[in-house]
Amino acid sequence: MSTYSVILYSDNPKTRAAMHGALGDRPADDVEIEYLEASGYDEIIRYIDTFEIDLVLLDGEAQPAGGMGVSRQMQDEFEDPPTTCLVIKRAADRWLAAWSRADAVLVHPLDPLNTASVIVDLLRARRALVKP
């Protein structure tokens, strides 16, 4: 069993709870997730500086810093940023989400099966790249 650390980013606690609920603590038999919650960009940076973060799940509607901008900023500021997955409200916004350079995009409401599949694939891919 592999344990991964995931930041749930949203200024809305209900959105963070929905993200957690859609993904769960064990989205696959061999994958366990430890969560950190962040309501602001400064918290994300503090967690990245303090812990080994595998993935950041970003709310595209967060205020004042939306997930799209946060994803883009992390890509620009970090040499090896954590994997990012952006959650948007409208599928029509995928074109805008592409600007964020997120590794994946999900659409609200989050489907638990699809969410688990996408996130588990991202986590496994990241760990495979990091292994010597």
Side-chain angles (χ1 to χ4, degrees):
M1 164 103 52
S2 295
T3 302
Y4 299 87
S5 54
V6 172
I7 297 174
L8 302 176
Y9 169 70
S10 178
D11 63 314
N12 185 333
K14 290 180 183 178
T15 301
R16 292 192 307 267
M19 291 172 168
H20 187 168
L23 188 52
D25 295 330
R26 291 199 51 200
D29 289 340
D30 63 330
V31 174
E32 183 174 9
I33 297 178
E34 293 178 348
Y35 291 98
L36 296 165
E37 293 192 16
S39 60
Y41 183 69
D42 292 343
E43 286 178 277
I44 292 174
I45 300 307
R46 189 169 61 248
Y47 288 146
I48 291 171
D49 287 344
T50 306
F51 303 104
E52 183 70 31
I53 302 298
D54 295 297
L55 183 135
V56 183
L57 189 56
L58 299 155
D59 174 13
E61 304 296 318
Q63 296 295 323
M68 290 183 211
V70 169
S71 177
R72 178 76 180 220
Q73 192 167 351
M74 288 190 333
Q75 301 300 328
D76 290 344
E77 290 183 1
F78 291 99
E79 186 174 319
D80 182 26
T83 300
T84 57
C85 182
L86 184 63
V87 181
I88 58 176
K89 286 214 178 204
R90 301 178 319 151
D93 287 338
R94 283 187 186 276
W95 70 272
L96 185 56
W99 170 85
S100 74
R101 299 193 324 230
D103 297 291
V105 178
L106 296 169
V107 180
H108 278 296
L110 293 172
D111 170 62
L113 293 177
N114 183 53
T115 300
S117 175
V118 167
I119 299 299
V120 166
D121 287 349
L122 289 170
L123 291 171
R124 287 177 177 153
R126 178 167 180 87
R127 196 62 59 91
L129 290 174
V130 172
K131 285 187 176 180

